[in-house]
Amino acid sequence: MKSFGYRAWLQPVAEGTKAQLGFLPKLAGLKGIASEEFVHGLDTRFGKKPSEDGDYTITLELAEKLPPEGYTLRGDLSGLTVSGGSEKGLLYGVYGLLSRLSLGEPVETMNVKEVPAVARRVLNHWDNADGSIERGYAGRSFFFKNGRIGYDLERLKDYARLLASVGINEISVNNVNVYPDSAQLITEEGLPDLAKVAEVFRPFGIRIIVAVHFDSPAILGGLETSDPTVPAVAKYWEDAAKRVYKHIPDLAGFLMKADSEFRSGPAALGLTQDAGANVIAKALEPFGGTIYWRCFIYNCKQDWRDKTIDRPKAAYNEFFPLDGKFAPNVILQVKHGPSDFQVREPNSPLLGAMTQTPQGLEFQISQEYTGQQIDLYATAVQWEEILDTPVTESCMTRDLVGREVTAMVAVSNTGNDDNWTGHLLAQANLYAFGRLAWNPALSAEQLMRDWVALTFGTDPAIVEPIANMLLESRWVYEKYNSPLGLGWMVNISHHYGPSPEGYEYMKWGTYHRATHTAIGVDRTTHGTEYTAQYHHYVRDLYENKKTCPEKLLLFFHRLPYNYKLKSGQTLLQYIYDTHFEGVEDVKRFIATWETLNGKIPQEAYEAVRDRLTRQLENAREWRDVINNYFYRLSGIADEKGRKIYA
Ligand code: GCV
């Protein structure tokens, strides 16, 4: 019997909830993975098996008029038909039906049509061949062991089901920081093992991507250079593509982190990024493969004294001039913000700017800067805000999805912890990413409610408190974290807990430049001119302190501590207040959670309570370190006289 956490959102429905299946299904139509998954789902969720004597017929059929991944669910009193545009669409239809049944939707009136907004719904794993996971907070890798691919087949299959059930259809398994061991994945020695992984995921409609090393031609091919303009290098990539596709004919493509954080790349050779991307694209093209080329490029050897460089400007400067120069099978993978997955930052100015180049919008499900799966943090709330951000006066970021944004990508938060994600409630983030990639119009509220109901049952006395905690969690975390879009006040390297000046004198380009009177970097056209990278409508919003969203004030402006916010609070008082509040909010979360004792499985209750207790410690630490830091610098006391440990 699998544990509660392991089953994630594919739980048996709770006894006595309205979701109990009121009929005995008879299964008709197409046989294959979709029918197998339907039988599996009925059994594990409802303890029922379809029977010839069933009193309600579920028919599975293909319908050519639907897009391949689309499906319909049409039910009436006599039965329900799941139609899929292909076997894959049918599989999604079955998962869609099973979740609706778990949520208690009546079959007789079911009338649903679903088509994904983007063709590529991608998870990047940052797993290393030695079994460690970069920025992983849920144990070790379940893809790799001891320098090579190594997995538990049943677990991998269960993972494939979990991902497919929310529509994820491509995964990279190895870290974008490709080390020598995982560079080997595209060699004759490495490929048979990778092909076996692809085999596990294939029936679930999930294709594999491999992260490749820019220097593969030299490291693996024995060439003297990896310069993509050298014909032998282009030939190396052609041969590599042939080799890889011989083993994995449906490989989705390659993923590249070049010229970033000490990785080699075209810029290091005096070339532009298209020179590298297009050579690999050409090699992959005959096989229908795509090269995902990451835009996370900046100077990571900056001198903090040098104010002429502003890190958030880097990706746009590197890539915008190249718009239109990339081969059609290049997807530029853009992190949602210009910094690096901070708790609050504006959207990347590349989003919406490049109209001639397909882009992948990259999120981080793994909570590197957002509590590391110890603190509660519903990423869906942040993603909703990101998608709700204007690109021009008439276009929201959400509108780009399915247009320039042809892939939704996220860094996975899973590992071999029994419950997959360390913090049980962090499963909600993986679930939400899949569904949001399928349909970016879904609200965080809907996603959180559905996840809670599928996981813990549909009883409102359980759904309401947990969904509300999740929906509040982003703001609560932000309250005790680095304020108003400053970012980065984290402990160096591991990035958990506060260190207000941890990165201040380092080479990474992340400075807030606090003095005793003011803090922040002026990124307006009077300062670093970062704002000029946006469409003028958005630029004007951010330029002006009065129209700049207040939660981003210190990202865009340098301000004195006594600057008055719209609430009438000074900037500094706002910082004190939010930091005190954040801790109280976490205490409230714990109290709310304690009301669930006895109402949800004990294992889940205790595991989450334990994480919340650790979160409280972290929140206290943040509150006291940040408040103390600002008090020492400014000498301005808290108006409410609370303890600042000065
Ligand atoms: C995989 C940040 C993280 C790195 C990560 C990098 C990236 O800098 O701290 O661990 O490397 O982003 O996205 O490539």
Side-chain angles (χ1 to χ4, degrees), residues 126 134-135 175-177 257 261 294 296 298 335 340-341 362 368-369 495:
W126 285 355
E134 183 153 349
R135 312 307 177 188
N175 191 354
V176 288
N177 286 328
K257 171 174 176 176
E261 301 185 329
R294 293 179 87 229
F296 182 58
Y298 65 96
K335 283 191 184 186
D340 186 10
F341 299 136
E362 184 179 320
E368 177 177 356
Y369 295 96
H495 299 166

Side-chain angles (χ1 to χ4, degrees), residues 547-566:
T547 57
C548 178
E550 281 201 331
K551 285 184 181 154
L552 280 170
L553 260 186
L554 291 180
F555 183 91
F556 286 105
H557 298 277
R558 179 167 182 82
L559 294 170
Y561 298 123
N562 61 6
Y563 178 82
K564 276 267 166 51
L565 298 177
K566 290 184 187 123

Side-chain angles (χ1 to χ4, degrees), residues 178 180 182-184 186-187 211-241 243 254-258 264-266 269 271 275-277 279-281 283 291 293:
V178 181
S182 60
Q184 301 289 336
I186 58 168
T187 64
V212 292
H213 199 300
F214 183 80
D215 282 337
S216 299
I219 300 174
L220 305 172
L223 300 182
E224 276 179 7
T225 175
S226 294
D227 181 336
T229 60
V230 171
V233 169
K235 171 85 169 58
Y236 168 84
W237 285 112
E238 277 165 28
D239 292 344
R243 190 166 58 238
F254 289 167
L255 166 62
M256 176 71 80
K257 171 174 176 176
S264 46
L269 298 165
L271 302 166
V279 165
I280 301 182
I291 170 84
W293 195 270

Side-chain angles (χ1 to χ4, degrees), residues 275-495:
N278 288 347
V279 165
I280 301 182
K282 189 161 175 242
L284 294 172
E285 196 272 333
F287 307 97
T290 296
I291 170 84
Y292 289 90
W293 195 270
R294 293 179 87 229
C295 296
F296 182 58
I297 295 184
Y298 65 96
N299 177 359
C300 64
K301 295 178 193 160
Q302 198 182 323
D303 181 344
W304 59 270
R305 299 166 190 86
D306 182 355
K307 292 189 179 171
T308 62
I309 310 174
D310 187 21
R311 169 169 163 176
K313 292 170 73 176
Y316 182 97
N317 284 345
E318 187 87 25
F319 286 94
F320 179 68
L322 305 176
D323 192 23
K325 294 197 173 149
F326 290 93
N329 59 330
V330 177
I331 293 183
L332 292 184
Q333 194 164 306
V334 183
K335 283 191 184 186
H336 65 75
S339 287
D340 186 10
F341 299 136
Q342 298 302 292
V343 63
R344 175 80 58 180
E345 51 179 306
N347 283 4
S348 166
L350 278 173
L351 296 167
M354 289 185 298
T355 54
Q356 310 301 311
T357 315
Q359 291 140 57
L361 172 53
E362 184 179 320
F363 291 148
Q364 194 183 40
I365 316 178
S366 182
Q367 291 170 234
E368 177 177 356
Y369 295 96
T370 53
Q372 305 202 347
Q373 286 141 251
I374 296 167
D375 299 30
L376 186 65
Y377 189 87
T379 44
V381 178
Q382 184 171 13
W383 299 336
E384 181 176 51
E385 292 165 5
I386 289 165
L387 294 170
D388 273 342
T389 302
V391 172
T392 68
E393 61 269 62
S394 58
C395 175
M396 307 294 271
T397 306
R398 180 175 285 111
D399 303 328
L400 303 175
V401 181
R403 279 172 36 189
E404 295 94 310
V405 172
T406 59
M408 294 288 281
V409 186
V411 181
S412 178
N413 64 347
T414 52
N416 72 356
D417 273 6
D418 183 66
N419 69 8
W420 305 97
T421 54
H423 198 315
L424 181 75
L425 302 189
Q427 291 180 356
N429 297 338
L430 181 62
Y431 171 86
F433 172 70
R435 291 206 51 205
L436 198 69
W438 179 284
N439 179 3
L442 287 172
S443 68
E445 181 167 355
Q446 172 86 56
L447 292 166
M448 293 302 95
R449 281 182 195 287
D450 284 356
W451 177 78
V452 180
L454 288 170
T455 305
F456 292 103
T458 52
D459 179 354
I462 295 173
V463 176
E464 288 300 310
I466 303 180
N468 289 342
M469 266 173 70
L470 283 161
L471 290 166
E472 239 195 294
S473 62
R474 160 170 168 61
W475 175 218
V476 168
Y477 183 82
E478 188 177 2
K479 279 188 192 174
Y480 61 78
N481 210 265
S482 74
L484 298 164
L486 274 181
W488 296 112
M489 292 183 144
V490 286
N491 281 309
I492 57 166
S493 305
H494 63 76
H495 299 166

